[in-house]
Amino acid sequence: MSEDCDHADPTIKTEAAAQAEARSAEAAAIRRRWITLGEALAVVAVVISALTLWNSWSERADTEATNRAEAQRASARAQTLVLTATRSSERMLALKPVSADQSVQAQSISFPKALGLAPVQTTGEPRVEAGWFADALKKARDNAGMPDDSRGDERLPVAITTQFLADGRTHEDIAIYDVGYTIAGRLLGGHTVALRGVSLVSHAKSGGAQATLDARWAKLLPSR
């Protein structure tokens, strides 16, 4: 009996050792899986954090880019001058910017060379007066063989150089405008020029404004 027990003990011990080893291996595998899962979760957390940071930076960058673009557009609008006119009388047009954010400081109004007129300067009260050019215009119309009385509105091109304030800064604009007018004969008073309004033709460069003005004059009032 004793010999049988002695013979069985090694087998039992071997099986027990094998089971213990298997349990140990399984426990080690479980620990490795947990370590691997933990590492994966850590990586995921880092990735999420990085994506969140990038998204926040991207949104901020987009917002800043949008704000810069809007500021540039606003600045461009502020520097682009368009004048409009209201009739103070038939002999004078009061000029003002279309934009309320602009304020005219001074202007120089040039006429076609064919009229033989010097530029007119204004300060603080932008305007066009018929008396500046009426006699020269009537003479030019007569030389061109145009009718004494106009039919509808006629156009006199002028170059207007304007110094104006916008966004607290001084800017300069040079543009060609058509001054609308009518001319009619009176029995005792001769012909009278009545002003109607102004219309923007184009913006111009400083060196080429007079040539552009003269070309438009030749188009509107060709010589006979």
Side-chain angles (χ1 to χ4, degrees), residues 48-81:
I48 291 174
S49 178
L51 289 174
T52 300
L53 181 63
W54 180 87
N55 187 59
S56 176
W57 175 86
S58 179
E59 288 181 352
R60 186 167 61 252
D62 289 345
T63 299
E64 291 175 354
T66 300
N67 291 339
R68 283 196 301 271
E70 179 57 34
Q72 290 173 354
R73 286 193 293 269
S75 179
R77 288 194 298 270
Q79 296 178 48
T80 302
L81 178 71

Side-chain angles (χ1 to χ4, degrees), residues 1 12 14 40 57 67 73 124 129 150 170 176 185 192 195-196 202 216 218:
M1 184 69 175
I12 295 173
T14 300
W57 175 86
N67 291 339
R73 286 193 293 269
E129 296 183 17
S150 60
T170 301
I176 307 299
T192 301
L195 304 183
R196 298 304 181 197
S202 65
R216 182 152 184 84

Side-chain angles (χ1 to χ4, degrees), residues 133-177:
F133 57 83
D135 289 342
L137 177 61
K138 285 184 285 187
K139 182 178 179 180
R141 287 176 58 89
D142 184 59
N143 291 338
M146 299 187 71
D148 292 339
D149 296 342
S150 60
R151 298 182 60 187
D153 290 349
E154 304 281 2
R155 291 174 290 174
L156 168 67
V158 296
I160 302 179
T161 301
T162 306
Q163 282 77 44
F164 65 100
L165 290 177
D167 294 336
R169 297 182 180 181
T170 301
H171 304 277
E172 181 177 87
D173 177 79
I174 303 174
I176 307 299
Y177 283 84

Side-chain angles (χ1 to χ4, degrees), residues 186-190:
R186 294 180 180 176
L187 183 60
L188 298 178

